[in-house]
mmCIF file of all heavy atoms in Angstrom:
data_model
loop_
_atom_site.group_PDB
_atom_site.id
_atom_site.type_symbol
_atom_site.label_atom_id
_atom_site.label_comp_id
_atom_site.label_asym_id
_atom_site.label_seq_id
_atom_site.Cartn_x
_atom_site.Cartn_y
_atom_site.Cartn_z
ATOM 1 N N SER A 245 -48.972 -22.380 64.934
ATOM 2 C CA SER A 245 -47.847 -21.460 64.435
ATOM 3 C C SER A 245 -47.199 -20.718 65.649
ATOM 4 O O SER A 245 -46.269 -19.952 65.347
ATOM 5 C CB SER A 245 -48.441 -20.603 63.442
ATOM 6 O OG SER A 245 -49.098 -19.556 64.067
ATOM 7 N N ASP A 248 -42.707 -22.302 70.250
ATOM 8 C CA ASP A 248 -42.720 -23.233 71.264
ATOM 9 C C ASP A 248 -42.666 -22.466 72.650
ATOM 10 O O ASP A 248 -43.218 -22.897 73.663
ATOM 11 C CB ASP A 248 -41.602 -24.205 71.240
ATOM 12 C CG ASP A 248 -41.770 -25.163 70.061
ATOM 13 O OD1 ASP A 248 -42.863 -25.085 69.444
ATOM 14 O OD2 ASP A 248 -40.883 -26.060 69.746
ATOM 15 N N MET A 269 -44.069 -30.459 70.584
ATOM 16 C CA MET A 269 -45.074 -30.768 69.330
ATOM 17 C C MET A 269 -46.347 -31.407 69.863
ATOM 18 O O MET A 269 -47.461 -30.920 69.512
ATOM 19 C CB MET A 269 -44.444 -31.782 68.316
ATOM 20 C CG MET A 269 -44.365 -31.338 67.022
ATOM 21 S SD MET A 269 -45.960 -31.302 66.200
ATOM 22 C CE MET A 269 -46.226 -33.156 66.389
ATOM 23 N N LYS A 272 -48.266 -28.873 71.851
ATOM 24 C CA LYS A 272 -49.015 -27.927 70.998
ATOM 25 C C LYS A 272 -50.132 -28.432 70.334
ATOM 26 O O LYS A 272 -51.241 -27.725 70.224
ATOM 27 C CB LYS A 272 -48.008 -27.341 69.943
ATOM 28 C CG LYS A 272 -48.332 -25.963 69.578
ATOM 29 C CD LYS A 272 -47.348 -25.464 68.463
ATOM 30 C CE LYS A 272 -45.965 -24.911 69.109
ATOM 31 N NZ LYS A 272 -45.160 -24.449 68.014
ATOM 32 N N VAL A 300 -50.967 -30.062 56.338
ATOM 33 C CA VAL A 300 -49.601 -29.561 56.731
ATOM 34 C C VAL A 300 -48.577 -30.530 56.967
ATOM 35 O O VAL A 300 -47.524 -30.495 56.449
ATOM 36 C CB VAL A 300 -49.857 -28.677 58.007
ATOM 37 C CG1 VAL A 300 -48.431 -28.011 58.483
ATOM 38 C CG2 VAL A 300 -50.855 -27.566 57.730
ATOM 39 N N SER A 333 -52.449 -11.051 43.061
ATOM 40 C CA SER A 333 -52.331 -10.288 41.772
ATOM 41 C C SER A 333 -51.519 -11.322 40.810
ATOM 42 O O SER A 333 -50.963 -12.251 41.095
ATOM 43 C CB SER A 333 -51.410 -9.177 42.019
ATOM 44 O OG SER A 333 -50.023 -9.479 42.389
ATOM 45 N N THR A 334 -51.624 -10.899 39.547
ATOM 46 C CA THR A 334 -51.046 -11.954 38.617
ATOM 47 C C THR A 334 -49.518 -11.932 38.734
ATOM 48 O O THR A 334 -48.882 -12.868 38.506
ATOM 49 C CB THR A 334 -51.209 -11.496 37.194
ATOM 50 O OG1 THR A 334 -50.819 -10.166 36.858
ATOM 51 C CG2 THR A 334 -52.878 -11.538 36.816
ATOM 52 N N SER A 335 -49.041 -10.729 39.353
ATOM 53 C CA SER A 335 -47.416 -10.889 39.481
ATOM 54 C C SER A 335 -47.256 -11.746 40.646
ATOM 55 O O SER A 335 -46.227 -12.470 40.466
ATOM 56 C CB SER A 335 -47.096 -9.349 39.845
ATOM 57 O OG SER A 335 -47.306 -8.446 38.684
ATOM 58 N N ARG A 338 -47.335 -15.259 39.358
ATOM 59 C CA ARG A 338 -46.176 -15.454 38.448
ATOM 60 C C ARG A 338 -45.097 -15.906 39.399
ATOM 61 O O ARG A 338 -44.228 -16.782 39.115
ATOM 62 C CB ARG A 338 -45.812 -14.238 37.719
ATOM 63 C CG ARG A 338 -46.385 -14.163 36.403
ATOM 64 C CD ARG A 338 -46.195 -12.778 35.834
ATOM 65 N NE ARG A 338 -46.851 -12.484 34.617
ATOM 66 C CZ ARG A 338 -46.404 -12.914 33.487
ATOM 67 N NH1 ARG A 338 -45.248 -13.507 33.285
ATOM 68 N NH2 ARG A 338 -47.168 -12.813 32.390
ATOM 69 N N ARG A 339 -44.913 -15.205 40.446
ATOM 70 C CA ARG A 339 -43.812 -15.417 41.398
ATOM 71 C C ARG A 339 -43.923 -16.729 41.981
ATOM 72 O O ARG A 339 -42.819 -17.612 42.184
ATOM 73 C CB ARG A 339 -43.704 -14.447 42.429
ATOM 74 C CG ARG A 339 -42.945 -13.094 42.149
ATOM 75 C CD ARG A 339 -43.035 -12.193 43.358
ATOM 76 N NE ARG A 339 -43.422 -10.852 42.921
ATOM 77 C CZ ARG A 339 -44.460 -10.098 43.444
ATOM 78 N NH1 ARG A 339 -45.089 -10.684 44.400
ATOM 79 N NH2 ARG A 339 -44.758 -9.000 42.908
ATOM 80 N N ARG A 373 -51.032 -24.286 51.265
ATOM 81 C CA ARG A 373 -52.372 -24.132 51.745
ATOM 82 C C ARG A 373 -53.433 -23.753 50.771
ATOM 83 O O ARG A 373 -54.645 -23.479 51.175
ATOM 84 C CB ARG A 373 -52.475 -23.350 53.113
ATOM 85 C CG ARG A 373 -51.719 -23.974 54.215
ATOM 86 C CD ARG A 373 -51.854 -23.101 55.551
ATOM 87 N NE ARG A 373 -51.060 -22.039 55.608
ATOM 88 C CZ ARG A 373 -51.311 -20.924 56.162
ATOM 89 N NH1 ARG A 373 -52.439 -20.788 56.717
ATOM 90 N NH2 ARG A 373 -50.498 -19.850 56.255
ATOM 91 P P G B 35 -38.745 -35.448 61.594
ATOM 92 O OP1 G B 35 -38.303 -36.440 62.519
ATOM 93 O OP2 G B 35 -38.768 -35.634 60.034
ATOM 94 O "O5'" G B 35 -40.296 -35.291 61.992
ATOM 95 C "C5'" G B 35 -41.503 -35.203 61.167
ATOM 96 C "C4'" G B 35 -42.631 -35.148 61.961
ATOM 97 O "O4'" G B 35 -42.876 -36.319 62.667
ATOM 98 C "C3'" G B 35 -42.765 -34.204 63.123
ATOM 99 O "O3'" G B 35 -43.151 -32.873 62.743
ATOM 100 C "C2'" G B 35 -43.624 -34.798 64.119
ATOM 101 O "O2'" G B 35 -44.955 -34.098 63.989
ATOM 102 C "C1'" G B 35 -43.774 -36.090 63.690
ATOM 103 N N9 G B 35 -43.379 -36.950 64.813
ATOM 104 C C8 G B 35 -42.203 -37.268 65.402
ATOM 105 N N7 G B 35 -42.275 -38.082 66.433
ATOM 106 C C5 G B 35 -43.563 -38.389 66.590
ATOM 107 C C6 G B 35 -44.386 -39.141 67.394
ATOM 108 O O6 G B 35 -43.784 -39.904 68.345
ATOM 109 N N1 G B 35 -45.663 -39.148 67.168
ATOM 110 C C2 G B 35 -46.327 -38.535 66.272
ATOM 111 N N2 G B 35 -47.660 -38.618 66.230
ATOM 112 N N3 G B 35 -45.712 -37.750 65.295
ATOM 113 C C4 G B 35 -44.433 -37.769 65.571
ATOM 114 P P U B 36 -43.052 -31.999 61.593
ATOM 115 O OP1 U B 36 -43.230 -32.636 60.378
ATOM 116 O OP2 U B 36 -41.891 -31.163 61.969
ATOM 117 O "O5'" U B 36 -44.145 -30.863 61.671
ATOM 118 C "C5'" U B 36 -45.247 -30.897 62.522
ATOM 119 C "C4'" U B 36 -45.877 -29.622 62.750
ATOM 120 O "O4'" U B 36 -45.913 -29.308 64.132
ATOM 121 C "C3'" U B 36 -45.242 -28.481 62.091
ATOM 122 O "O3'" U B 36 -45.825 -28.174 60.834
ATOM 123 C "C2'" U B 36 -45.381 -27.270 63.007
ATOM 124 O "O2'" U B 36 -46.512 -26.589 62.762
ATOM 125 C "C1'" U B 36 -45.486 -27.944 64.330
ATOM 126 N N1 U B 36 -44.298 -27.906 65.080
ATOM 127 C C2 U B 36 -44.180 -26.880 66.174
ATOM 128 O O2 U B 36 -45.117 -26.056 66.274
ATOM 129 N N3 U B 36 -43.116 -26.819 66.830
ATOM 130 C C4 U B 36 -42.000 -27.728 66.766
ATOM 131 O O4 U B 36 -41.089 -27.624 67.522
ATOM 132 C C5 U B 36 -42.254 -28.685 65.616
ATOM 133 C C6 U B 36 -43.183 -28.742 64.997
ATOM 134 P P A B 37 -45.167 -27.497 59.586
ATOM 135 O OP1 A B 37 -45.869 -28.186 58.575
ATOM 136 O OP2 A B 37 -43.736 -27.330 59.713
ATOM 137 O "O5'" A B 37 -45.960 -26.064 59.671
ATOM 138 C "C5'" A B 37 -45.216 -24.881 58.955
ATOM 139 C "C4'" A B 37 -46.054 -23.743 59.504
ATOM 140 O "O4'" A B 37 -47.334 -23.586 58.923
ATOM 141 C "C3'" A B 37 -46.018 -23.581 60.966
ATOM 142 O "O3'" A B 37 -45.451 -22.418 61.516
ATOM 143 C "C2'" A B 37 -47.455 -23.294 61.310
ATOM 144 O "O2'" A B 37 -47.746 -22.309 62.190
ATOM 145 C "C1'" A B 37 -48.269 -23.094 59.939
ATOM 146 N N9 A B 37 -49.556 -23.560 59.768
ATOM 147 C C8 A B 37 -50.006 -24.863 59.643
ATOM 148 N N7 A B 37 -51.378 -24.833 59.388
ATOM 149 C C5 A B 37 -51.739 -23.459 59.419
ATOM 150 C C6 A B 37 -52.952 -22.721 59.265
ATOM 151 N N6 A B 37 -54.048 -23.471 59.087
ATOM 152 N N1 A B 37 -52.905 -21.495 59.350
ATOM 153 C C2 A B 37 -51.802 -20.796 59.611
ATOM 154 N N3 A B 37 -50.615 -21.344 59.725
ATOM 155 C C4 A B 37 -50.623 -22.573 59.689
ATOM 156 P P A B 38 -43.920 -22.048 61.210
ATOM 157 O OP1 A B 38 -43.737 -20.751 60.611
ATOM 158 O OP2 A B 38 -43.049 -23.127 60.616
ATOM 159 O "O5'" A B 38 -43.570 -21.755 62.754
ATOM 160 C "C5'" A B 38 -44.024 -22.693 63.586
ATOM 161 C "C4'" A B 38 -43.384 -22.277 64.968
ATOM 162 O "O4'" A B 38 -43.346 -23.432 65.798
ATOM 163 C "C3'" A B 38 -41.930 -21.790 64.943
ATOM 164 O "O3'" A B 38 -41.795 -20.379 65.084
ATOM 165 C "C2'" A B 38 -41.288 -22.405 66.099
ATOM 166 O "O2'" A B 38 -41.203 -21.784 67.197
ATOM 167 C "C1'" A B 38 -42.062 -23.766 66.087
ATOM 168 N N9 A B 38 -41.517 -24.711 65.261
ATOM 169 C C8 A B 38 -42.053 -25.417 64.208
ATOM 170 N N7 A B 38 -41.176 -26.210 63.613
ATOM 171 C C5 A B 38 -40.240 -26.347 64.473
ATOM 172 C C6 A B 38 -38.947 -27.035 64.454
ATOM 173 N N6 A B 38 -38.812 -27.885 63.378
ATOM 174 N N1 A B 38 -38.107 -26.930 65.469
ATOM 175 C C2 A B 38 -38.413 -26.044 66.239
ATOM 176 N N3 A B 38 -39.550 -25.248 66.561
ATOM 177 C C4 A B 38 -40.345 -25.401 65.444
ATOM 178 P P G B 43 -30.387 -15.554 50.049
ATOM 179 O OP1 G B 43 -29.223 -14.868 49.233
ATOM 180 O OP2 G B 43 -30.756 -14.825 51.315
ATOM 181 O "O5'" G B 43 -31.685 -15.607 49.109
ATOM 182 C "C5'" G B 43 -31.598 -16.109 47.869
ATOM 183 C "C4'" G B 43 -32.966 -16.475 47.272
ATOM 184 O "O4'" G B 43 -33.672 -17.205 48.260
ATOM 185 C "C3'" G B 43 -33.909 -15.155 47.289
ATOM 186 O "O3'" G B 43 -33.618 -14.449 45.909
ATOM 187 C "C2'" G B 43 -35.229 -15.838 47.136
ATOM 188 O "O2'" G B 43 -35.534 -16.465 45.955
ATOM 189 C "C1'" G B 43 -35.111 -16.867 48.211
ATOM 190 N N9 G B 43 -35.548 -16.474 49.500
ATOM 191 C C8 G B 43 -34.764 -16.187 50.655
ATOM 192 N N7 G B 43 -35.507 -15.762 51.679
ATOM 193 C C5 G B 43 -36.709 -15.976 51.220
ATOM 194 C C6 G B 43 -38.101 -15.697 51.846
ATOM 195 O O6 G B 43 -38.168 -15.280 53.050
ATOM 196 N N1 G B 43 -39.083 -15.790 51.125
ATOM 197 C C2 G B 43 -39.066 -16.130 49.762
ATOM 198 N N2 G B 43 -40.218 -16.230 49.042
ATOM 199 N N3 G B 43 -37.898 -16.403 49.160
ATOM 200 C C4 G B 43 -36.898 -16.204 49.854
ATOM 201 P P C B 44 -34.040 -12.891 45.850
ATOM 202 O OP1 C B 44 -33.454 -12.381 44.687
ATOM 203 O OP2 C B 44 -33.610 -12.229 47.109
ATOM 204 O "O5'" C B 44 -35.555 -12.860 45.743
ATOM 205 C "C5'" C B 44 -36.304 -13.374 44.680
ATOM 206 C "C4'" C B 44 -37.732 -13.415 45.001
ATOM 207 O "O4'" C B 44 -38.058 -14.075 46.062
ATOM 208 C "C3'" C B 44 -38.296 -12.042 45.281
ATOM 209 O "O3'" C B 44 -38.576 -11.247 43.998
ATOM 210 C "C2'" C B 44 -39.615 -12.323 45.939
ATOM 211 O "O2'" C B 44 -40.569 -12.785 45.055
ATOM 212 C "C1'" C B 44 -39.090 -13.502 46.882
ATOM 213 N N1 C B 44 -38.764 -13.186 48.105
ATOM 214 C C2 C B 44 -39.777 -12.867 49.013
ATOM 215 O O2 C B 44 -40.964 -13.026 48.843
ATOM 216 N N3 C B 44 -39.500 -12.541 50.313
ATOM 217 C C4 C B 44 -38.246 -12.502 50.689
ATOM 218 N N4 C B 44 -37.894 -12.136 52.028
ATOM 219 C C5 C B 44 -37.063 -12.779 49.809
ATOM 220 C C6 C B 44 -37.393 -13.147 48.590
ATOM 221 P P G B 47 -47.671 -6.613 42.871
ATOM 222 O OP1 G B 47 -48.687 -7.404 43.479
ATOM 223 O OP2 G B 47 -46.335 -7.281 42.403
ATOM 224 O "O5'" G B 47 -48.269 -5.847 41.601
ATOM 225 C "C5'" G B 47 -49.619 -5.291 41.739
ATOM 226 C "C4'" G B 47 -50.005 -4.662 40.500
ATOM 227 O "O4'" G B 47 -48.957 -3.645 40.080
ATOM 228 C "C3'" G B 47 -49.983 -5.581 39.295
ATOM 229 O "O3'" G B 47 -51.195 -6.151 39.251
ATOM 230 C "C2'" G B 47 -49.875 -4.596 38.010
ATOM 231 O "O2'" G B 47 -51.110 -3.888 37.809
ATOM 232 C "C1'" G B 47 -48.844 -3.565 38.711
ATOM 233 N N9 G B 47 -47.609 -3.798 38.396
ATOM 234 C C8 G B 47 -46.438 -4.394 39.159
ATOM 235 N N7 G B 47 -45.393 -4.452 38.614
ATOM 236 C C5 G B 47 -45.622 -4.175 37.260
ATOM 237 C C6 G B 47 -44.777 -3.990 36.145
ATOM 238 O O6 G B 47 -43.598 -4.167 36.225
ATOM 239 N N1 G B 47 -45.403 -3.373 35.103
ATOM 240 C C2 G B 47 -46.716 -2.995 34.977
ATOM 241 N N2 G B 47 -47.215 -2.570 33.866
ATOM 242 N N3 G B 47 -47.544 -3.149 36.068
ATOM 243 C C4 G B 47 -46.882 -3.656 37.111
ATOM 244 P P C B 48 -51.279 -7.683 38.519
ATOM 245 O OP1 C B 48 -52.708 -8.154 38.772
ATOM 246 O OP2 C B 48 -50.172 -8.382 39.054
ATOM 247 O "O5'" C B 48 -50.999 -7.293 36.949
ATOM 248 C "C5'" C B 48 -52.045 -6.594 36.263
ATOM 249 C "C4'" C B 48 -51.440 -6.284 34.862
ATOM 250 O "O4'" C B 48 -50.227 -5.557 34.981
ATOM 251 C "C3'" C B 48 -50.937 -7.441 34.038
ATOM 252 O "O3'" C B 48 -52.106 -8.072 33.237
ATOM 253 C "C2'" C B 48 -50.202 -6.821 33.009
ATOM 254 O "O2'" C B 48 -50.786 -6.010 31.935
ATOM 255 C "C1'" C B 48 -49.466 -5.704 33.900
ATOM 256 N N1 C B 48 -48.071 -6.175 34.303
ATOM 257 C C2 C B 48 -46.950 -5.915 33.511
ATOM 258 O O2 C B 48 -47.265 -5.469 32.304
ATOM 259 N N3 C B 48 -45.849 -6.304 33.828
ATOM 260 C C4 C B 48 -45.570 -6.833 34.998
ATOM 261 N N4 C B 48 -44.345 -7.070 35.323
ATOM 262 C C5 C B 48 -46.690 -6.959 35.982
ATOM 263 C C6 C B 48 -47.891 -6.640 35.632
ATOM 264 P P U B 49 -52.280 -9.390 32.904
ATOM 265 O OP1 U B 49 -53.467 -9.654 32.161
ATOM 266 O OP2 U B 49 -51.879 -10.319 33.976
ATOM 267 O "O5'" U B 49 -51.047 -9.507 31.672
ATOM 268 C "C5'" U B 49 -49.803 -9.706 31.519
ATOM 269 C "C4'" U B 49 -49.466 -10.716 30.585
ATOM 270 O "O4'" U B 49 -50.367 -11.767 30.663
ATOM 271 C "C3'" U B 49 -49.718 -10.199 29.086
ATOM 272 O "O3'" U B 49 -48.588 -9.366 28.727
ATOM 273 C "C2'" U B 49 -49.808 -11.634 28.428
ATOM 274 O "O2'" U B 49 -48.540 -12.000 28.016
ATOM 275 C "C1'" U B 49 -50.436 -12.471 29.356
ATOM 276 N N1 U B 49 -51.782 -13.108 28.969
ATOM 277 C C2 U B 49 -51.895 -14.082 28.270
ATOM 278 O O2 U B 49 -50.919 -14.540 27.647
ATOM 279 N N3 U B 49 -53.095 -14.513 28.001
ATOM 280 C C4 U B 49 -54.258 -14.026 28.381
ATOM 281 O O4 U B 49 -55.353 -14.493 28.070
ATOM 282 C C5 U B 49 -54.101 -12.937 29.253
ATOM 283 C C6 U B 49 -52.978 -12.442 29.684
ATOM 284 P P C B 50 -47.172 -9.580 28.328
ATOM 285 O OP1 C B 50 -47.481 -8.450 27.359
ATOM 286 O OP2 C B 50 -46.663 -10.827 27.673
ATOM 287 O "O5'" C B 50 -45.927 -9.168 29.425
ATOM 288 C "C5'" C B 50 -44.787 -8.735 28.806
ATOM 289 C "C4'" C B 50 -43.575 -9.056 29.867
ATOM 290 O "O4'" C B 50 -44.122 -8.721 31.099
ATOM 291 C "C3'" C B 50 -43.459 -10.625 30.006
ATOM 292 O "O3'" C B 50 -42.308 -11.205 29.394
ATOM 293 C "C2'" C B 50 -43.318 -10.892 31.508
ATOM 294 O "O2'" C B 50 -42.106 -11.161 31.960
ATOM 295 C "C1'" C B 50 -43.764 -9.525 32.175
ATOM 296 N N1 C B 50 -44.882 -9.646 33.068
ATOM 297 C C2 C B 50 -44.451 -9.922 34.411
ATOM 298 O O2 C B 50 -43.367 -10.201 34.757
ATOM 299 N N3 C B 50 -45.482 -10.076 35.405
ATOM 300 C C4 C B 50 -46.744 -9.838 35.024
ATOM 301 N N4 C B 50 -47.657 -9.856 35.978
ATOM 302 C C5 C B 50 -47.010 -9.465 33.615
ATOM 303 C C6 C B 50 -46.160 -9.462 32.784
ATOM 304 P P U B 79 -45.578 18.135 69.387
ATOM 305 O OP1 U B 79 -45.776 17.283 70.659
ATOM 306 O OP2 U B 79 -46.546 19.137 68.977
ATOM 307 O "O5'" U B 79 -44.072 18.775 69.431
ATOM 308 C "C5'" U B 79 -43.054 17.989 69.857
ATOM 309 C "C4'" U B 79 -41.707 18.758 69.761
ATOM 310 O "O4'" U B 79 -41.480 19.096 68.276
ATOM 311 C "C3'" U B 79 -41.814 20.115 70.313
ATOM 312 O "O3'" U B 79 -41.540 20.127 71.756
ATOM 313 C "C2'" U B 79 -40.697 20.890 69.686
ATOM 314 O "O2'" U B 79 -39.425 20.482 69.882
ATOM 315 C "C1'" U B 79 -40.905 20.336 68.174
ATOM 316 N N1 U B 79 -41.814 21.186 67.365
ATOM 317 C C2 U B 79 -41.360 22.410 66.810
ATOM 318 O O2 U B 79 -40.150 22.682 66.931
ATOM 319 N N3 U B 79 -42.168 23.122 66.072
ATOM 320 C C4 U B 79 -43.479 22.957 66.004
ATOM 321 O O4 U B 79 -44.136 23.687 65.248
ATOM 322 C C5 U B 79 -44.029 21.712 66.520
ATOM 323 C C6 U B 79 -43.335 20.920 67.208
#
Side-chain angles (χ1 to χ4, degrees):
Chain A
S245 81
D248 290 354
M269 233 292 295
K272 205 183 287 183
V300 179
S333 68
T334 61
S335 295
R338 271 168 186 275
R339 275 180 232 127
R373 288 188 280 149

